[in-house]
Amino acid sequence: MISLQNISKQYSGKYLFKDLSLHIEDGNKIAFVGRNGTGKSTLMKIILGEVEADSGKIIQSRFNSVGYLPQDSVYHTGRTLLEEAATAFDDLNQLHERIREISDKISAITSPQGDNSTELQNFIDEMGQAQGILEHREGYNIEIRVKQILSGLGFNEKDMSRMTEEFSGGWQMRIALAKLLLREPTILLLDEPTNHLDMESLEWIEGYLKSYRGSIVLVSHDSRFLDNLVERVIEISMGKATEYTGNYSSYLIQKTQRLEMLQSSLRNRQRMIDSTTRFIERFRYKNTKAKQVQSRIRKLEKMEHIEIDKEESSIFFDFPDPPRAGRVVMEIENLTKSYSNNMVLEKISFIIERGDKIALLGVNGSGKSTLARIIADVDTFQGGFRKPGHNAVISYYAQNIVEELDPDKTTLQTLDAVAPLKSPGELRTLLGCFLFKDDDVFKPVSVLSGGEKSRLALAKMILKPANLLIMDEPTNHLDTQSKAILQRSLKRFSGAYVIVSHDRDFLAPLINKVAVLKDNDLSIYHGNVDDYLDKYHREQEELPSGGDLPESGTPLDIKKNRKRMEAENRQSLYKKLKPLKAALEKIEKETAAYEKKKLEIENSFSDQNTYKNEALVQSLNIEYFQITSRLDSLYDKWMATEEKIGKITAD
């Protein structure tokens, strides 16, 4: 499908990659992996055509269409959510408009004043082609398809009519992702697509991408996501692309094996060089050995060069020792928060104690980030109270913290603004711990990658000792190694923290309490994330099919009540579905009759004798137009009725 041949790209004389070649075939699901700064995102942009390679060429099918999701900085304004997502079908909407124009023109021609059978036939042919395209691409149920994708990505029915500018940065990225999925390009380029998804949306997108018919190229630091999805891993390192077959875990095993083989080859090569060099030095000036010496010199010159990746630098830091706090670090009571008419938190009460390690979970839109901001005292609320405990000192890492960094400041100026009493030397030492070395401290924030911005935000956070850390999606943009180091630093931290995250592998060793936001309320579970998930699944299994809570009473009473409720639910469902199914059956019969008549007319058009009778041709054309118009209406009714049935069944 697409082939990159000897691609090179450099910035300021430093090569990201040189003579890099790779091939992406139809249906491939590929992960680009490598250190931060190796050029994974740049390579995606070269495939997209947004960045031009310095040399090399790209060969691809003329039928290719490429869709790209960047890491961040996507914004939509001026339309409702539904309207914006539907722009993915602009070409189909134009076809609908053209069909309406043709219909008006056919009506004018077939009126008593019109008499142009050739023009009529041309319009009917064009309409048939347009309708064929719409049917092939499911252009008659655009709104249904849009809502299905948006719902999978976590938007609810109320969101559909909201203006896009009302949504935060993370939701803006979801809108962009929804439009990409609706367009169905032959190649999807996704740069950190899971950063702004909750666990439910992550599972949905994972399932959707598994069955995606096109090719997918991913950059992601979510190892579980990659394991479940990709079948090839391409590592970008030292300016070259090395391919591994299998998922991410398989890649790690193969890479270790490959490194061991390279190291063994390198040792053998060095032993050969040492032995040959000693022979040359010993017999260089002996005439009787001149031939052998020259042979060994040529052998050294032709010896293949073996290159092994240098050891990757890692961030290293610990959170400062926390100031001594009281037993209760933060108390929240009857907290209420709403945005206009949208109630987010209603009479929430809980206590954060010294040493609590809390995961804050819930679907997107449940209020996790809002509650985190309120605890951190950076957002207001309408009711209840927030009471910090004795000597409580809070440090806050916002979900969109990389967007809040001043793009015009350098990394050094960014830290200096937070800790003006620190000397430049102290700040440079801290920046070095986060891999900002030498002239990197003078880089403006605007040129930093997402990972570099995240590391800078972490550096800012640890300048002030705190005993309560509030971290909203702290692993976004961090590579696998940096994420592991943050995890180890949090394990060593003796204060309390609240972490909003969908990364189960990251949370697993850190948490002793789970706080779950659902339906404006907060529930607390003791134990780690896996304990909570086990309990949640058990509770779901114990719920009766109607979704009500288990009744009190003896097991026999509960069983009888459950059967009664199930019977009532079935009866209620039957009453709702009966008229809809009857209407659907009537529509299907009428549709079948019209489709049969349409086929008969099409067979007449294929008969050469038909065209000997001009009046018959015109009559058939008019009847054909009327039938196709009626079928369009029936198809719309069919889809609308099926949607109603599907909604009732799902509820």
Side-chain angles (χ1 to χ4, degrees):
M1 176 180 284
I2 184 167
S3 180
L4 278 66
Q5 299 182 358
N6 301 316
I7 297 295
S8 297
K9 185 65 184 177
Q10 64 172 327
Y11 290 102
S12 303
K14 182 180 179 181
Y15 277 97
L16 280 177
F17 30 79
K18 189 174 183 180
D19 296 329
L20 182 149
S21 297
L22 65 91
H23 184 70
I24 302 170
E25 298 174 354
D26 291 344
N28 277 174
K29 292 179 173 63
I30 300 172
F32 282 174
V33 302
R35 308 172 187 175
N36 282 337
T38 55
K40 301 185 296 293
S41 297
T42 300
L43 188 57
M44 277 192 166
K45 292 176 183 178
I46 288 175
I47 296 172
L48 180 67
E50 190 175 297
V51 171
E52 187 175 350
D54 297 331
S55 62
K57 60 182 178 179
I58 299 177
I59 301 172
Q60 60 179 310
S61 166
R62 61 190 180 91
F63 300 108
N64 273 358
S65 56
V66 182
Y68 172 58
L69 182 77
Q71 286 188 22
D72 47 33
S73 302
V74 174
Y75 297 97
H76 307 85
T77 60
R79 294 189 181 97
T80 66
L81 171 63
L82 195 61
E83 291 168 344
E84 182 63 42
T87 61
F89 298 108
D90 277 349
D91 57 337
L92 298 185
N93 289 326
Q94 289 171 6
L95 278 179
H96 279 296
E97 182 60 33
R98 179 57 182 161
I99 287 174
R100 283 191 287 270
E101 293 174 0
I102 294 172
S103 297
D104 292 340
K105 291 178 179 179
I106 289 176
S107 298
I109 291 173
T110 56
S111 66
Q113 292 78 18
D115 186 20
N116 190 333
S117 59
T118 302
E119 186 178 14
L120 175 63
Q121 184 60 50
N122 290 337
F123 281 135
I124 289 176
D125 289 344
E126 184 182 354
M127 177 179 282
Q129 292 173 359
Q131 289 172 336
I133 294 172
L134 288 173
E135 289 175 8
H136 176 69
R137 294 183 55 193
E138 301 181 55
Y140 291 107
N141 59 342
I142 287 175
E143 184 172 327
I144 295 172
R145 293 172 64 190
V146 170
K147 286 185 175 180
Q148 285 175 339
I149 296 295
L150 290 174
S151 175
L153 289 173
F155 294 96
N156 59 43
E157 187 64 33
K158 292 180 181 178
D159 291 329
M160 302 298 167
S161 57
R162 290 175 59 191
M163 299 301 291
T164 51
E165 53 263 36
E166 296 177 22
F167 293 97
S168 64
W171 289 99
Q172 292 282 350
M173 296 303 299
R174 292 193 192 204
I175 297 172
L177 179 56
K179 290 167 64 176
L180 273 184
L181 299 180
L182 289 166
R183 287 192 186 116
E184 295 187 333
T186 57
I187 302 177
L188 267 179
L189 305 176
L190 306 177
D191 198 349
E192 296 289 359
T194 66
N195 277 354
H196 305 285
L197 301 179
D198 54 42
M199 287 186 186
E200 290 188 4
S201 298
L202 178 57
E203 289 182 354
W204 181 87
I205 191 65
E206 187 177 287
Y208 187 92
L209 292 178
K210 279 181 181 178
S211 59
Y212 191 75
R213 291 175 293 182
S215 301
I216 301 172
V217 179
L218 285 167
V219 173
S220 176
H221 298 301
D222 189 325
S223 56
R224 186 174 297 188
F225 182 67
L226 294 179
D227 265 348
N228 292 337
L229 193 59
V230 304
E231 58 198 21
R232 286 171 63 197
V233 174
I234 295 176
E235 183 184 49
I236 312 299
S237 177
M238 301 177 66
K240 297 178 182 179
T242 305
E243 182 173 333
Y244 299 84
T245 302
N247 62 12
Y248 186 77
S249 293
S250 176
Y251 147 73
L252 292 177
I253 294 170
Q254 292 177 63
K255 182 182 178 182
T256 300
Q257 293 171 343
R258 178 176 173 270
L259 182 59
E260 289 173 352
M261 290 175 62
L262 283 174
Q263 289 172 339
S264 177
S265 297
L266 186 60
R267 288 192 296 269
N268 291 335
R269 179 180 182 274
Q270 191 59 50
R271 280 196 294 268
M272 178 68 72
I273 290 173
D274 293 343
S275 174
T276 304
T277 302
R278 285 196 300 270
F279 182 91
I280 292 171
E281 291 299 322
R282 182 176 180 183
F283 299 109
R284 182 186 296 273
Y285 302 108
K286 288 193 176 184
N287 292 334
T288 57
K289 298 289 186 180
K291 189 174 181 179
Q292 293 94 321
V293 167
Q294 291 303 314
S295 174
R296 281 164 170 74
I297 290 173
R298 287 192 297 270
K299 186 177 181 180
L300 280 181
E301 291 172 348
K302 293 179 180 179
M303 192 170 287
E304 183 182 357
H305 179 64
I306 298 176
E307 193 172 17
I308 298 179
D309 291 0
K310 296 177 182 178
E311 190 68 27
E312 184 174 357
S313 298
S314 303
I315 63 173
F316 57 95
F317 73 96
D318 272 313
F319 290 97
D321 290 335
R324 179 70 178 177
R327 184 183 65 82
V328 174
V329 184
M330 179 66 64
E331 185 176 359
I332 300 291
E333 186 169 332
N334 293 325
L335 186 77
T336 298
K337 172 71 176 182
S338 63
Y339 296 100
S340 298
N341 296 324
N342 180 28
M343 181 65 71
V344 180
L345 306 171
E346 187 172 13
K347 294 185 177 180
I348 297 293
S349 297
F350 73 105
I351 291 174
I352 303 173
E353 297 182 336
R354 184 177 61 235
D356 273 350
K357 320 292 185 184
I358 301 173
L360 182 54
L361 306 182
V363 300
N364 275 336
S366 60
K368 302 187 300 295
S369 294
T370 299
L371 181 56
R373 289 195 299 271
I374 291 173
I375 297 172
D377 200 24
V378 295
D379 202 352
T380 59
F381 51 94
Q382 285 85 28
F385 71 82
R386 165 194 177 277
K387 183 180 179 182
H390 171 70
N391 201 33
V393 182
I394 300 171
S395 187
Y396 174 54
Y397 184 103
Q399 184 181 104
N400 61 341
I401 197 165
V402 297
E403 299 171 12
E404 295 176 356
L405 297 172
D406 188 336
D408 297 325
K409 286 184 176 178
T410 66
T411 59
L412 187 60
Q413 289 170 337
T414 299
L415 294 195
D416 185 59
V418 180
L421 298 180
K422 296 278 188 182
S423 70
E426 289 175 304
L427 295 179
R428 292 188 69 154
T429 298
L430 176 59
L431 285 168
C433 294
F434 289 88
L435 306 186
F436 296 103
K437 298 178 180 179
D438 302 325
D439 290 342
D440 288 344
V441 302
F442 303 117
K443 277 185 178 180
V445 170
S446 59
V447 305
L448 301 181
S449 68
E452 288 172 325
K453 289 177 182 176
S454 294
R455 297 202 304 267
L456 181 60
L458 280 173
K460 278 183 62 179
M461 188 177 189
I462 68 173
L463 278 170
K464 183 179 76 170
N467 45 38
L468 175 58
L469 308 179
I470 311 298
M471 307 188 81
D472 194 352
E473 298 291 0
T475 62
N476 283 1
H477 304 296
L478 290 181
D479 59 34
T480 305
Q481 199 167 24
S482 298
K483 186 167 66 173
I485 289 166
L486 172 60
Q487 187 183 65
R488 288 197 290 269
S489 299
L490 286 168
K491 286 177 72 175
R492 291 190 294 265
F493 180 65
S494 61
Y497 49 70
V498 177
I499 302 177
V500 179
S501 176
H502 62 268
D503 191 328
R504 286 173 294 180
D505 289 340
F506 175 74
L507 293 173
L510 300 177
I511 300 305
N512 59 27
K513 283 184 183 178
V514 176
V516 181
L517 275 169
K518 184 178 180 182
D519 299 329
N520 308 330
D521 195 14
L522 185 78
S523 301
I524 301 293
Y525 297 83
H526 291 269
N528 60 30
V529 173
D530 289 332
D531 293 334
Y532 158 70
L533 289 174
D534 288 342
K535 185 173 183 179
Y536 170 78
H537 291 309
R538 286 198 304 271
E539 289 175 350
Q540 291 300 107
E541 290 172 0
E542 292 170 2
L543 286 173
S545 60
D548 298 302
L549 292 172
E551 308 93 333
S552 59
T554 67
L556 183 60
D557 290 336
I558 293 174
K559 188 174 181 180
K560 288 180 179 179
N561 287 335
R562 184 173 298 175
K563 286 187 175 181
R564 175 183 55 78
M565 291 170 61
E566 289 174 352
E568 290 174 353
N569 287 335
R570 286 195 298 269
Q571 184 66 20
S572 175
L573 187 64
Y574 172 79
K575 288 180 180 179
K576 291 178 182 178
L577 291 177
K578 184 179 178 181
L580 289 172
K581 287 186 175 180
L584 185 63
E585 184 178 358
K586 183 179 178 182
I587 293 169
E588 288 173 343
K589 287 181 179 179
E590 189 176 358
T591 300
Y594 273 98
E595 286 178 336
K596 182 180 178 182
K597 187 63 178 174
K598 180 185 174 187
L599 182 62
E600 291 172 354
I601 295 174
E602 288 172 346
N603 290 335
S604 297
F605 283 144
S606 64
D607 187 354
Q608 295 295 327
N609 293 323
T610 302
Y611 295 93
K612 295 178 182 178
N613 187 337
E614 187 174 339
L616 175 61
V617 171
Q618 186 158 346
S619 173
L620 287 173
N621 280 328
I622 293 170
E623 186 178 3
Y624 188 82
F625 166 70
Q626 292 171 340
I627 287 172
T628 54
S629 296
R630 178 58 182 161
L631 278 172
D632 287 346
S633 175
L634 287 170
Y635 289 145
D636 289 341
K637 288 182 180 178
W638 192 345
M639 294 304 300
T641 306
E642 283 195 325
E643 184 183 15
K644 289 178 182 177
I645 291 173
K647 187 175 181 181
I648 291 172
T649 305
D651 292 343

